Coordinates of all heavy atoms in Angstrom, one line a residue:
M1 N 6.1 23.3 22.2 CA 5.7 22.8 21.0 C 4.2 23.2 20.8 O 3.4 23.0 21.7 CB 5.8 21.3 21.0 CG 5.2 20.6 19.8 SD 5.1 18.8 19.8 CE 6.8 18.4 19.7
D2 N 3.9 23.8 19.7 CA 2.5 24.2 19.4 C 1.8 23.0 18.7 O 2.4 22.3 17.8 CB 2.5 25.4 18.4 CG 2.9 26.6 19.1 OD1 2.9 26.7 20.3 OD2 3.4 27.5 18.4
T3 N 0.6 22.7 19.1 CA -0.2 21.7 18.4 C -1.3 22.4 17.7 O -2.0 23.3 18.3 CB -0.8 20.7 19.4 OG1 -1.5 21.4 20.4 CG2 0.3 19.8 20.0
T4 N -1.5 22.1 16.4 CA -2.4 22.9 15.6 C -3.7 22.2 15.4 O -4.7 22.7 14.8 CB -1.8 23.2 14.2 OG1 -1.5 21.9 13.6 CG2 -0.6 24.1 14.3
G5 N -3.9 20.9 15.9 CA -5.1 20.2 15.7 C -4.9 18.8 15.2 O -3.9 18.5 14.7
W6 N -5.9 18.0 15.5 CA -5.8 16.6 15.1 C -6.2 16.4 13.7 O -7.2 17.0 13.2 CB -6.8 15.9 16.0 CG -6.8 14.4 15.9 CD1 -7.5 13.6 15.1 CD2 -6.0 13.5 16.7 NE1 -7.3 12.3 15.3 CE2 -6.3 12.2 16.3 CE3 -5.0 13.7 17.7 CZ2 -5.7 11.1 16.8 CZ3 -4.4 12.6 18.2 CH2 -4.7 11.3 17.8
I7 N -5.5 15.6 12.9 CA -5.9 15.3 11.5 C -6.0 13.8 11.4 O -5.3 13.0 12.1 CB -4.8 15.9 10.5 CG1 -3.4 15.4 10.8 CG2 -4.9 17.4 10.5 CD1 -2.4 15.8 9.7
S8 N -6.8 13.3 10.5 CA -6.9 11.9 10.2 C -7.3 11.7 8.8 O -7.9 12.6 8.1 CB -8.0 11.3 11.1 OG -9.3 11.8 10.8
G9 N -7.0 10.5 8.3 CA -7.3 10.2 6.9 C -6.7 8.9 6.5 O -6.1 8.2 7.3
Q10 N -6.7 8.6 5.2 CA -6.1 7.4 4.6 C -5.3 7.9 3.4 O -5.6 8.8 2.7 CB -7.2 6.5 4.0 CG -8.1 5.9 5.0 CD -9.1 4.9 4.4 OE1 -9.5 5.2 3.2 NE2 -9.5 3.9 5.0
I11 N -4.2 7.1 3.2 CA -3.4 7.2 2.0 C -3.5 5.9 1.3 O -3.6 4.8 2.0 CB -2.0 7.7 2.2 CG1 -1.2 6.8 3.1 CG2 -2.0 9.1 2.8 CD1 0.3 7.0 3.0
F12 N -3.4 5.8 0.0 CA -3.4 4.6 -0.7 C -2.2 4.4 -1.5 O -1.7 5.3 -2.2 CB -4.6 4.6 -1.7 CG -6.0 4.5 -1.0 CD1 -6.6 5.6 -0.6 CD2 -6.5 3.2 -0.8 CE1 -7.8 5.5 0.1 CE2 -7.8 3.1 -0.2 CZ -8.4 4.3 0.3
L13 N -1.5 3.3 -1.3 CA -0.4 2.9 -2.0 C -0.8 1.8 -3.0 O -1.5 0.8 -2.6 CB 0.7 2.3 -1.1 CG 1.2 3.2 0.0 CD1 2.0 2.4 1.0 CD2 1.9 4.4 -0.5
Q14 N -0.5 1.9 -4.3 CA -0.9 1.0 -5.3 C 0.2 0.3 -6.0 O 1.3 0.9 -6.2 CB -1.8 1.7 -6.4 CG -3.0 2.3 -5.8 CD -3.9 2.9 -6.8 OE1 -3.5 3.3 -7.9 NE2 -5.2 3.1 -6.5
T15 N 0.1 -1.0 -6.2 CA 1.1 -1.8 -6.8 C 0.5 -3.0 -7.6 O -0.7 -3.3 -7.3 CB 2.1 -2.3 -5.8 OG1 3.2 -3.0 -6.5 CG2 1.5 -3.2 -4.8
V16 N 1.2 -3.6 -8.4 CA 0.8 -4.9 -9.1 C 1.7 -6.0 -8.6 O 1.6 -7.1 -9.1 CB 0.8 -4.7 -10.6 CG1 -0.2 -3.7 -11.1 CG2 2.2 -4.4 -11.2
D17 N 2.6 -5.7 -7.7 CA 3.6 -6.7 -7.3 C 3.3 -7.3 -5.9 O 3.3 -6.6 -4.9 CB 5.0 -6.0 -7.2 CG 6.2 -6.9 -6.9 OD1 5.9 -8.1 -6.7 OD2 7.3 -6.5 -6.9
E18 N 3.0 -8.6 -5.9 CA 2.7 -9.3 -4.6 C 3.8 -9.2 -3.6 O 3.6 -9.1 -2.4 CB 2.3 -10.7 -4.9 CG 0.9 -10.9 -5.5 CD 0.5 -12.3 -5.7 OE1 0.6 -13.0 -4.7 OE2 0.1 -12.7 -6.8
N19 N 5.0 -9.3 -4.1 CA 6.2 -9.2 -3.2 C 6.3 -7.8 -2.5 O 6.6 -7.7 -1.3 CB 7.5 -9.5 -3.9 CG 7.6 -10.9 -4.3 OD1 7.1 -11.8 -3.6 ND2 8.3 -11.2 -5.4
E20 N 5.9 -6.8 -3.3 CA 5.9 -5.4 -2.7 C 4.8 -5.3 -1.6 O 5.0 -4.7 -0.6 CB 5.8 -4.4 -3.8 CG 5.9 -3.0 -3.2 CD 5.9 -1.9 -4.4 OE1 5.3 -2.1 -5.4 OE2 6.6 -0.9 -4.1
V21 N 3.7 -5.9 -1.9 CA 2.6 -5.9 -0.9 C 3.1 -6.5 0.4 O 2.8 -6.0 1.5 CB 1.3 -6.7 -1.4 CG1 0.3 -6.8 -0.3 CG2 0.8 -5.9 -2.6
Q22 N 3.8 -7.6 0.3 CA 4.4 -8.3 1.5 C 5.4 -7.4 2.3 O 5.4 -7.3 3.5 CB 5.0 -9.6 1.2 CG 4.0 -10.7 0.7 CD 4.6 -11.9 0.2 OE1 5.8 -12.1 0.1 NE2 3.8 -12.9 -0.2
Q23 N 6.2 -6.7 1.5 CA 7.2 -5.8 2.1 C 6.6 -4.6 2.8 O 6.9 -4.3 3.9 CB 8.2 -5.3 1.0 CG 9.1 -6.4 0.5 CD 9.9 -5.9 -0.7 OE1 9.8 -4.8 -1.1 NE2 10.7 -6.8 -1.3
V24 N 5.6 -4.0 2.1 CA 4.9 -2.9 2.7 C 4.1 -3.4 4.0 O 4.2 -2.7 5.0 CB 3.9 -2.3 1.7 CG1 3.0 -1.2 2.4 CG2 4.6 -1.7 0.5
S25 N 3.5 -4.5 3.9 CA 2.8 -5.1 5.1 C 3.7 -5.3 6.2 O 3.4 -5.0 7.4 CB 2.0 -6.4 4.7 OG 1.1 -6.1 3.7
A26 N 4.9 -5.8 6.0 CA 5.9 -6.1 7.0 C 6.3 -4.8 7.7 O 6.4 -4.7 8.9 CB 7.1 -6.8 6.5
L27 N 6.5 -3.8 6.9 CA 6.9 -2.5 7.4 C 5.8 -1.9 8.3 O 6.1 -1.4 9.4 CB 7.3 -1.5 6.3 CG 7.6 -0.1 6.8 CD1 9.0 0.0 7.4 CD2 7.5 0.9 5.6
L28 N 4.6 -1.9 7.8 CA 3.5 -1.3 8.5 C 3.2 -2.1 9.8 O 2.9 -1.5 10.8 CB 2.3 -1.2 7.6 CG 2.4 -0.2 6.4 CD1 1.2 -0.3 5.5 CD2 2.6 1.2 6.8
N29 N 3.3 -3.4 9.7 CA 3.1 -4.2 10.9 C 4.2 -3.9 12.0 O 3.9 -3.8 13.2 CB 3.1 -5.7 10.6 CG 1.7 -6.1 10.0 OD1 0.7 -5.6 10.4 ND2 1.8 -7.0 9.1
A30 N 5.4 -3.8 11.5 CA 6.5 -3.5 12.4 C 6.3 -2.1 13.1 O 6.8 -2.0 14.3 CB 7.9 -3.5 11.6
R31 N 5.7 -1.2 12.5 CA 5.4 0.1 13.1 C 4.1 0.2 13.8 O 3.7 1.3 14.2 CB 5.5 1.2 12.0 CG 6.8 1.3 11.2 CD 7.7 2.1 12.0 NE 9.0 2.2 11.4 CZ 9.4 3.1 10.5 NH1 8.5 4.0 10.1 NH2 10.6 3.1 9.9
N32 N 3.3 -0.9 13.8 CA 2.0 -0.9 14.4 C 1.0 0.1 13.7 O 0.3 0.8 14.4 CB 2.0 -0.7 15.9 CG 2.6 -1.9 16.6 OD1 2.4 -3.0 16.2 ND2 3.5 -1.6 17.5
I33 N 1.1 0.3 12.4 CA 0.3 1.2 11.7 C -0.8 0.4 11.0 O -0.6 -0.5 10.3 CB 1.1 1.9 10.6 CG1 2.2 2.7 11.2 CG2 0.2 2.8 9.7 CD1 3.2 3.3 10.2
P34 N -2.1 0.8 11.3 CA -3.2 0.0 10.7 C -3.3 0.3 9.2 O -3.2 1.4 8.7 CB -4.4 0.6 11.5 CG -4.0 1.9 12.0 CD -2.5 1.8 12.2
F35 N -3.7 -0.8 8.5 CA -3.8 -0.8 7.1 C -4.7 -1.9 6.6 O -5.0 -2.8 7.4 CB -2.5 -0.8 6.4 CG -1.8 -2.2 6.5 CD1 -1.9 -3.1 5.5 CD2 -1.1 -2.5 7.6 CE1 -1.3 -4.4 5.6 CE2 -0.4 -3.7 7.7 CZ -0.6 -4.7 6.7
Q36 N -5.1 -1.8 5.4 CA -5.9 -2.9 4.7 C -5.5 -3.0 3.3 O -5.3 -2.0 2.6 CB -7.4 -2.5 4.8 CG -8.3 -3.6 4.2 CD -9.8 -3.2 4.4 OE1 -10.1 -2.0 4.6 NE2 -10.7 -4.1 4.2
V37 N -5.4 -4.3 2.8 CA -5.0 -4.5 1.5 C -6.3 -4.8 0.7 O -7.0 -5.7 1.0 CB -4.0 -5.7 1.4 CG1 -3.7 -6.0 -0.1 CG2 -2.7 -5.4 2.1
L38 N -6.4 -4.1 -0.4 CA -7.6 -4.3 -1.3 C -7.0 -4.9 -2.6 O -6.0 -4.4 -3.1 CB -8.3 -3.0 -1.6 CG -8.6 -2.2 -0.3 CD1 -9.0 -0.7 -0.7 CD2 -9.8 -2.8 0.4
T39 N -7.7 -5.9 -3.2 CA -7.2 -6.6 -4.4 C -8.3 -6.5 -5.5 O -9.5 -6.7 -5.2 CB -6.9 -8.0 -4.1 OG1 -6.0 -8.1 -3.0 CG2 -6.3 -8.7 -5.3
L40 N -7.8 -6.2 -6.7 CA -8.7 -6.2 -7.9 C -8.1 -7.2 -8.8 O -6.9 -7.0 -9.3 CB -8.8 -4.8 -8.5 CG -9.5 -4.8 -9.9 CD1 -11.0 -5.1 -9.7 CD2 -9.4 -3.4 -10.5
S41 N -8.8 -8.2 -9.2 CA -8.3 -9.3 -10.1 C -9.2 -9.2 -11.4 O -10.4 -9.1 -11.3 CB -8.4 -10.7 -9.5 OG -7.6 -10.8 -8.4
E42 N -8.5 -9.2 -12.5 CA -9.3 -9.2 -13.8 C -8.8 -10.3 -14.7 O -7.6 -10.6 -14.6 CB -9.0 -7.8 -14.5 CG -9.5 -6.6 -13.8 CD -9.2 -5.4 -14.5 OE1 -8.1 -5.2 -15.0 OE2 -10.1 -4.5 -14.7
R43 N -9.7 -10.9 -15.4 CA -9.3 -11.9 -16.4 C -10.1 -11.7 -17.7 O -11.3 -11.5 -17.7 CB -9.7 -13.3 -15.8 CG -9.3 -14.4 -16.7 CD -9.6 -15.8 -16.0 NE -8.9 -16.8 -16.7 CZ -9.4 -17.5 -17.7 NH1 -10.6 -17.2 -18.2 NH2 -8.7 -18.5 -18.3
M44 N -9.3 -11.6 -18.7 CA -9.9 -11.4 -20.1 C -9.6 -12.6 -20.9 O -8.5 -13.0 -21.0 CB -9.3 -10.1 -20.7 CG -9.6 -8.8 -20.0 SD -9.1 -7.4 -20.9 CE -7.3 -7.7 -21.2
S45 N -10.7 -13.1 -21.5 CA -10.5 -14.2 -22.4 C -10.3 -13.7 -23.8 O -11.1 -12.8 -24.3 CB -11.8 -15.1 -22.3 OG -11.7 -16.2 -23.3
L46 N -9.4 -14.3 -24.5 CA -9.1 -13.8 -25.9 C -10.0 -14.5 -26.9 O -10.1 -14.1 -28.0 CB -7.6 -14.0 -26.2 CG -6.6 -13.3 -25.3 CD1 -5.2 -13.7 -25.7 CD2 -6.8 -11.8 -25.3
D47 N -10.6 -15.6 -26.5 CA -11.5 -16.4 -27.4 C -12.9 -16.4 -26.7 O -13.1 -17.2 -25.8 CB -11.0 -17.8 -27.6 CG -11.8 -18.6 -28.6 OD1 -12.8 -18.1 -29.1 OD2 -11.4 -19.7 -28.8
P48 N -13.8 -15.5 -27.2 CA -15.1 -15.4 -26.5 C -15.9 -16.7 -26.6 O -16.8 -17.0 -25.8 CB -15.8 -14.3 -27.2 CG -15.0 -14.1 -28.5 CD -13.7 -14.6 -28.3
I49 N -15.6 -17.6 -27.6 CA -16.4 -18.8 -27.8 C -15.9 -19.9 -26.8 O -16.7 -20.6 -26.2 CB -16.2 -19.3 -29.2 CG1 -16.9 -18.3 -30.2 CG2 -16.9 -20.7 -29.4 CD1 -16.6 -18.6 -31.6
D50 N -14.6 -19.9 -26.5 CA -14.1 -20.9 -25.6 C -13.5 -20.2 -24.4 O -12.3 -19.9 -24.4 CB -13.0 -21.8 -26.3 CG -12.5 -22.9 -25.4 OD1 -13.0 -23.1 -24.3 OD2 -11.5 -23.5 -25.8
A51 N -14.3 -19.8 -23.4 CA -13.8 -19.0 -22.3 C -12.8 -19.7 -21.4 O -12.1 -19.1 -20.7 CB -15.0 -18.6 -21.4
D52 N -12.8 -21.1 -21.5 CA -11.8 -21.8 -20.7 C -10.5 -22.1 -21.4 O -9.6 -22.8 -20.9 CB -12.4 -23.2 -20.2 CG -13.6 -23.0 -19.3 OD1 -13.5 -22.0 -18.5 OD2 -14.5 -23.8 -19.3
S53 N -10.3 -21.5 -22.6 CA -9.1 -21.7 -23.3 C -7.9 -21.1 -22.6 O -8.1 -20.2 -21.7 CB -9.2 -21.2 -24.7 OG -9.2 -19.8 -24.7
V54 N -6.7 -21.5 -23.0 CA -5.5 -21.0 -22.4 C -5.2 -19.6 -22.9 O -4.3 -19.0 -22.4 CB -4.3 -21.9 -22.6 CG1 -4.5 -23.2 -21.9 CG2 -4.1 -22.1 -24.1
Q55 N -6.0 -19.1 -23.8 CA -5.7 -17.8 -24.4 C -6.5 -16.8 -23.5 O -7.5 -16.3 -23.9 CB -6.2 -17.7 -25.8 CG -5.4 -18.6 -26.7 CD -5.8 -18.4 -28.2 OE1 -6.8 -17.7 -28.5 NE2 -5.2 -19.1 -29.1
A56 N -5.9 -16.5 -22.4 CA -6.5 -15.6 -21.4 C -5.4 -14.7 -20.8 O -4.3 -15.2 -20.7 CB -7.4 -16.3 -20.4
V57 N -5.8 -13.6 -20.4 CA -4.9 -12.7 -19.7 C -5.5 -12.3 -18.4 O -6.7 -12.0 -18.3 CB -4.7 -11.4 -20.6 CG1 -3.8 -10.4 -19.8 CG2 -4.1 -11.7 -21.9
S58 N -4.7 -12.4 -17.4 CA -5.2 -12.0 -16.0 C -4.2 -11.1 -15.4 O -3.0 -11.1 -15.7 CB -5.4 -13.3 -15.2 OG -4.2 -13.9 -14.9
S59 N -4.7 -10.2 -14.5 CA -3.9 -9.3 -13.8 C -4.5 -9.0 -12.4 O -5.7 -9.1 -12.2 CB -3.8 -8.0 -14.6 OG -5.0 -7.3 -14.6
D60 N -3.6 -8.8 -11.5 CA -4.0 -8.4 -10.1 C -3.4 -7.0 -9.8 O -2.3 -6.8 -10.2 CB -3.4 -9.4 -9.1 CG -4.1 -10.8 -9.3 OD1 -5.3 -10.9 -9.6 OD2 -3.4 -11.8 -9.0
R61 N -4.2 -6.2 -9.2 CA -3.8 -4.9 -8.7 C -4.1 -4.8 -7.2 O -5.1 -5.3 -6.8 CB -4.4 -3.8 -9.5 CG -3.9 -3.7 -10.9 CD -4.5 -2.5 -11.6 NE -5.9 -2.9 -12.1 CZ -6.8 -2.1 -12.5 NH1 -6.6 -0.8 -12.4 NH2 -8.0 -2.6 -12.9
F62 N -3.2 -4.2 -6.5 CA -3.4 -4.1 -5.1 C -3.4 -2.6 -4.6 O -2.5 -1.8 -5.1 CB -2.2 -4.8 -4.3 CG -2.1 -6.2 -4.8 CD1 -1.2 -6.6 -5.7 CD2 -2.8 -7.2 -4.2 CE1 -1.0 -7.9 -6.2 CE2 -2.7 -8.5 -4.6 CZ -1.8 -8.9 -5.6
S63 N -4.2 -2.3 -3.7 CA -4.2 -1.0 -3.1 C -4.1 -1.2 -1.6 O -4.8 -2.1 -1.0 CB -5.5 -0.2 -3.3 OG -5.6 0.2 -4.6
I64 N -3.1 -0.5 -1.0 CA -2.9 -0.7 0.5 C -3.4 0.6 1.1 O -2.8 1.7 0.9 CB -1.4 -0.9 0.8 CG1 -0.9 -2.1 0.0 CG2 -1.2 -1.0 2.3 CD1 0.6 -2.3 0.0
A65 N -4.5 0.5 1.8 CA -5.1 1.7 2.5 C -4.4 1.8 3.9 O -4.6 1.0 4.7 CB -6.6 1.5 2.6
V66 N -3.7 2.9 4.1 CA -3.0 3.1 5.4 C -3.8 4.2 6.2 O -4.1 5.3 5.7 CB -1.6 3.6 5.1 CG1 -0.8 3.9 6.4 CG2 -0.8 2.7 4.2
Q67 N -4.2 3.8 7.4 CA -4.9 4.7 8.2 C -3.9 5.6 9.0 O -3.0 5.1 9.6 CB -5.7 3.9 9.3 CG -6.6 2.8 8.7 CD -7.8 3.4 7.9 OE1 -8.3 4.5 8.3 NE2 -8.2 2.8 6.9
M68 N -4.2 6.9 8.9 CA -3.3 7.8 9.6 C -4.2 8.8 10.5 O -5.2 9.3 10.0 CB -2.5 8.6 8.6 CG -1.6 7.7 7.8 SD -0.6 8.7 6.6 CE 0.6 9.3 7.8
A69 N -3.7 9.0 11.7 CA -4.4 10.0 12.6 C -3.4 10.5 13.6 O -2.6 9.7 14.1 CB -5.6 9.3 13.2
G70 N -3.6 11.7 14.0 CA -2.7 12.3 15.0 C -2.5 13.8 14.8 O -3.1 14.4 13.9
F71 N -1.6 14.3 15.6 CA -1.2 15.7 15.4 C -0.3 15.8 14.2 O 0.4 14.9 13.9 CB -0.5 16.2 16.7 CG -1.5 16.3 17.8 CD1 -1.4 15.5 18.9 CD2 -2.5 17.3 17.9 CE1 -2.2 15.6 20.0 CE2 -3.3 17.4 18.9 CZ -3.2 16.6 20.0
P72 N -0.3 16.9 13.5 CA 0.5 17.1 12.3 C 2.0 16.8 12.6 O 2.7 16.3 11.7 CB 0.4 18.6 12.0 CG -1.0 18.9 12.5 CD -1.1 18.1 13.8
Q73 N 2.5 17.0 13.8 CA 3.9 16.8 14.1 C 4.2 15.3 14.1 O 5.4 14.9 13.9 CB 4.3 17.3 15.5 CG 4.2 18.8 15.6 CD 2.8 19.3 15.9 OE1 1.8 18.6 15.8 NE2 2.7 20.6 16.4
V74 N 3.2 14.5 14.2 CA 3.4 13.0 14.2 C 3.1 12.5 12.8 O 3.8 11.6 12.3 CB 2.4 12.3 15.3 CG1 2.5 10.8 15.2 CG2 2.8 12.8 16.7
V75 N 2.0 12.9 12.2 CA 1.6 12.4 10.9 C 2.5 12.9 9.8 O 2.8 12.1 8.9 CB 0.1 12.8 10.7 CG1 -0.3 12.4 9.3 CG2 -0.8 12.1 11.7
G76 N 2.9 14.1 9.9 CA 3.8 14.6 8.8 C 5.0 13.8 8.5 O 5.3 13.4 7.4
P77 N 5.9 13.5 9.5 CA 7.1 12.7 9.2 C 6.7 11.3 8.7 O 7.4 10.8 7.8 CB 7.8 12.6 10.6 CG 7.3 13.8 11.3 CD 5.9 14.0 10.9
L78 N 5.7 10.7 9.2 CA 5.3 9.4 8.7 C 4.8 9.4 7.3 O 5.2 8.6 6.4 CB 4.1 8.8 9.6 CG 3.6 7.5 9.1 CD1 4.7 6.4 9.1 CD2 2.4 7.1 10.0
L79 N 4.0 10.4 6.9 CA 3.6 10.6 5.6 C 4.8 10.8 4.6 O 4.9 10.3 3.6 CB 2.6 11.8 5.5 CG 2.0 12.1 4.1 CD1 1.3 10.8 3.5 CD2 1.0 13.2 4.2
T80 N 5.7 11.7 5.1 CA 6.9 11.9 4.3 C 7.7 10.7 4.0 O 8.1 10.4 2.9 CB 7.8 13.0 5.0 OG1 7.0 14.2 5.1 CG2 9.1 13.3 4.2
E81 N 7.8 9.9 5.1 CA 8.6 8.6 4.9 C 7.9 7.7 4.0 O 8.5 7.0 3.1 CB 8.7 7.9 6.3 CG 9.5 6.6 6.2 CD 9.6 5.9 7.5 OE1 9.1 6.3 8.5 OE2 10.1 4.7 7.4
L82 N 6.6 7.5 4.1 CA 5.9 6.6 3.2 C 6.0 7.1 1.7 O 6.1 6.3 0.8 CB 4.4 6.5 3.6 CG 4.1 5.7 4.9 CD1 2.7 5.8 5.2 CD2 4.6 4.3 4.8
V83 N 5.9 8.4 1.5 CA 6.0 8.9 0.1 C 7.4 8.6 -0.4 O 7.6 8.2 -1.5 CB 5.7 10.4 0.1 CG1 6.1 11.0 -1.3 CG2 4.2 10.7 0.3
Q84 N 8.5 8.8 0.4 CA 9.8 8.6 0.0 C 10.0 7.1 -0.3 O 10.7 6.7 -1.3 CB 10.8 9.0 1.0 CG 10.9 10.5 1.1 CD 11.8 11.0 2.3 OE1 12.1 10.2 3.2 NE2 12.2 12.3 2.3
R85 N 9.5 6.2 0.5 CA 9.6 4.8 0.3 C 8.9 4.4 -1.0 O 9.3 3.5 -1.7 CB 9.1 4.0 1.5 CG 10.1 4.1 2.7 CD 9.6 3.3 3.9 NE 10.4 3.4 5.0 CZ 11.4 2.5 5.3 NH1 11.6 1.5 4.5 NH2 12.1 2.6 6.4
A86 N 7.7 4.9 -1.2 CA 6.9 4.6 -2.4 C 7.6 5.0 -3.7 O 7.3 4.4 -4.7 CB 5.5 5.2 -2.3
H87 N 8.4 6.0 -3.6 CA 9.1 6.5 -4.8 C 10.6 6.0 -4.8 O 11.5 6.8 -5.2 CB 9.0 8.0 -4.8 CG 7.7 8.5 -5.1 ND1 7.2 8.6 -6.4 CD2 6.7 8.9 -4.3 CE1 5.9 9.0 -6.4 NE2 5.6 9.2 -5.1
G88 N 10.8 4.8 -4.5 CA 12.1 4.2 -4.7 C 12.9 4.0 -3.4 O 14.1 3.5 -3.5
G89 N 12.4 4.4 -2.3 CA 13.2 4.3 -1.0 C 13.3 2.9 -0.4 O 14.0 2.7 0.5
G90 N 12.5 2.0 -0.9 CA 12.5 0.6 -0.4 C 11.6 0.5 0.8 O 11.2 1.4 1.5
W91 N 11.2 -0.8 1.1 CA 10.3 -1.1 2.1 C 10.8 -1.9 3.3 O 10.1 -2.3 4.1 CB 9.1 -1.8 1.5 CG 8.3 -1.0 0.6 CD1 8.3 -1.1 -0.8 CD2 7.5 0.1 0.9 NE1 7.5 -0.1 -1.3 CE2 7.0 0.7 -0.3 CE3 7.1 0.8 2.1 CZ2 6.1 1.7 -0.4 CZ3 6.2 1.8 2.0 CH2 5.8 2.3 0.8
Q92 N 12.1 -2.1 3.3 CA 12.7 -2.9 4.4 C 12.6 -2.1 5.7 O 13.0 -1.0 5.8 CB 14.2 -3.1 4.1 CG 14.4 -4.0 2.8 CD 13.7 -5.3 3.0 OE1 13.7 -6.0 4.0 NE2 13.0 -5.7 1.9
P93 N 12.1 -2.8 6.7 CA 12.0 -2.1 8.0 C 13.4 -1.8 8.6 O 14.3 -2.6 8.4 CB 11.3 -3.1 8.9 CG 10.6 -4.1 8.0 CD 11.4 -4.1 6.7
D94 N 13.6 -0.7 9.2 CA 14.8 -0.4 9.8 C 14.6 0.2 11.1 O 13.5 0.2 11.6 CB 15.6 0.6 8.9 CG 14.9 1.8 8.5 OD1 13.9 2.2 9.2 OD2 15.2 2.4 7.5
M95 N 15.6 0.7 11.7 CA 15.5 1.2 13.1 C 15.0 2.7 13.2 O 15.0 3.2 14.3 CB 16.8 1.0 13.8 CG 17.3 -0.4 13.9 SD 16.0 -1.6 14.5 CE 15.9 -1.1 16.2
R96 N 14.7 3.3 12.1 CA 14.2 4.7 12.2 C 12.9 4.7 12.9 O 12.1 3.8 12.9 CB 14.0 5.3 10.8 CG 15.3 5.6 10.1 CD 15.0 6.3 8.8 NE 14.6 5.3 7.8 CZ 14.3 5.6 6.6 NH1 14.2 6.9 6.2 NH2 14.0 4.7 5.7
T97 N 12.7 5.9 13.6 CA 11.4 6.0 14.3 C 10.5 7.0 13.6 O 11.0 7.8 12.8 CB 11.6 6.5 15.8 OG1 12.4 7.7 15.8 CG2 12.3 5.4 16.5

């Protein structure tokens, strides 16, 4: 097996769904893959005079920063799997390695 060099970096998975954040976190924790969840919360008031009115819109967005490092033969399959899962493959942990 040829090794071409060590690579490292981060990939970011973005979602607005808290349940998806929990599923991704469970998968990454099951695989012992380091990550960090970043949250952006926004609140817009529709009535500038009465900022506490019920006429407000709020939203939360989440970015999951996944730390990756290793030889390409190790990082490549993991990156491929994360991309496939992010594009509809689901986040349920399974017995794949």
